Amino acid sequence: MDTQRIKCLAICLSCFFFVASCVQGTDKTNDSAGVATTGTVTDDDLGYNAVPVENGGSISGTVTFSGTIPAPRTVVITDDVEACGESVKIQDIEVNVGGGLRNAVVSLVDINSGASLETLASSPVLEQHLCRFVPHIMFAPINQVVDILNSDPISHNIHTVAFDNRTFNRTQPPSLDKIEASFEIAEKVKVKCDIHGWMNSWIVVVDHPYHAITDAEGNFVIENVPPGTYTLEAWHEIPGATKRQVTIDSGQTTDLSIELKQIS
Ligand SMILES: [Cu+2]
């Protein structure tokens, strides 16, 4: 083979690998609006290694709130009364008689291998019902489609507020049964409706399964954690976050009491 033919072959091979890399590089799940098109998530995409967990331990506990609990806010409604009612009562901090804080997110923030993300119990459906987002806070595995539904006979508007993910802002009339959205980067994304100012919720985008949302008593459980020492974060939208070190022993349950203090 002469020199000229070798050069041509080298150029052809370079073009082939360039085109192949471009095709692979366009395999994204979001369009420019952050609204989902296609895509399948694997743990390999996440920078998190899914491995079998043998003799894992658990973390259980309670998140409590310390401080003055704000009184419920009553918002008088003037538009869309037929769907929303004449007023809505907003309780920003829900605490039970024992101080247990509902809707706090408890997470291991520095774990890089463990059970597959698929083991996280999540139902990524966000519904707009009676002019409220339901649920108020939810998990969405990274790149997984979130179905956004409108069961009200009026239009709502889904406006996301994010730091790392692309935001989107779309009106959803009653005729549009479902909007599909997905998020590429793990972070807490706020969702609001610009039409009805009291409507807001949170989508917690996660890239591993070691998270929990506290129940009405402030309780949480995180299971099947590989033994080791991790940083655990508890977060709520009003008081904010606190972190601590936690050590997980094989086959054992680590009990925690976590206090979130009112921001002064
Ligand atoms: Cu709305």
Side-chain angles (χ1 to χ4, degrees), residues 84 128 131 133 154-157 193-199:
C84 305
Q128 295 153 110
C131 302
F133 285 114
I154 58 169
S155 291
H156 289 292
N157 155 257
C193 172
D194 295 331
I195 301 171
H196 309 105
W198 64 89
M199 291 179 63

Side-chain angles (χ1 to χ4, degrees), residues 95-119:
V95 176
N96 77 346
V97 292
L101 177 62
R102 184 184 185 191
N103 283 338
V105 179
V106 182
S107 305
L108 297 181
V109 297
D110 57 355
I111 189 166
N112 53 27
S113 69
S116 169
L117 178 55
E118 294 176 357
T119 62

Side-chain angles (χ1 to χ4, degrees), residues 41 214 243 250 254:
V41 187
T214 55
K243 293 181 180 178
S250 177
T254 300

